[in-house]
Amino acid sequence: MIHETPIHIRYSDTDLNGHVNNAVYATYMEESRISFLQEVFPGQRLPLVIASLHIDFRQETRYPEHTDVVARTWLTRLGRSSFEFFCQICSVRGEVMCEGTAVVVHYDFEKRKSAPLPDWAREKLLPYVREPEESNVGV
């Protein structure tokens, strides 16, 4: 299963050249992860911290040519206490603008260390695990 989050590009997301600023893609990916988790765990809060974030830029996203994008998100790994999100930020025409991964860790804030994912959470996440897709643009 793939989770899709529509994202509206704001003028303030751009730099002087009219490109979506590279740091904004991390925010788009964060919006997608939050939307994903709200869909998978409605009304629940899973204590997570981010351990790693990696982004590959495939094409420039120019404003106002692009006013909206879609974040396509799924999981590529489900470990004992962590899991990896894979996210593609795509134009509304389906072109991959950037893609990346984020590793999040289930965290015990009282003990200040990672904790095993509960079985109930693992069961809800499992349908979203799949291999990353090749983007439609070479690096």
Side-chain angles (χ1 to χ4, degrees):
M1 294 189 341
I2 296 176
H3 177 80
E4 292 192 353
T5 305
I7 297 172
H8 183 70
I9 297 173
R10 300 172 309 238
Y11 176 76
S12 61
D13 293 344
T14 63
D15 59 21
L16 293 174
N17 297 315
H19 301 107
V20 170
N21 183 279
N22 61 350
V24 172
Y25 290 101
T27 301
Y28 292 169
M29 291 174 67
E30 178 184 51
E31 286 181 41
S32 179
R33 287 192 308 274
I34 291 168
S35 178
F36 176 102
L37 291 167
Q38 288 173 337
E39 180 179 299
V40 175
F41 303 107
Q44 297 172 301
R45 187 161 182 212
L46 197 61
L48 300 170
V49 294
I50 190 163
S52 172
L53 177 66
H54 178 86
I55 302 173
D56 290 316
F57 302 97
R58 303 295 183 204
Q59 296 189 57
E60 62 183 346
T61 306
R62 296 190 57 81
Y63 182 88
E65 291 88 354
H66 298 97
T67 56
D68 295 280
V69 291
V70 176
R72 301 175 68 236
T73 306
W74 61 92
L75 304 179
T76 53
R77 186 182 59 75
L78 185 56
R80 183 186 76 79
S81 62
S82 66
F83 50 99
E84 182 177 65
F85 284 97
F86 186 86
C87 182
Q88 289 181 327
I89 306 296
C90 301
S91 71
V92 293
R93 294 184 302 274
E95 304 160 304
V96 176
M97 310 311 275
C98 81
E99 55 194 0
T101 59
V103 175
V104 295
V105 178
H106 184 246
Y107 197 74
D108 183 326
F109 283 93
E110 285 185 17
K111 296 179 182 176
R112 303 193 58 78
K113 65 179 193 174
S114 66
L117 279 166
D119 290 339
W120 61 266
R122 183 179 300 286
E123 289 173 21
K124 288 186 171 190
L125 292 169
L126 205 53
Y128 291 92
V129 178
R130 57 183 285 168
E131 292 296 315
E133 294 179 0
E134 291 293 319
S135 70
N136 60 354
V137 176
V139 177

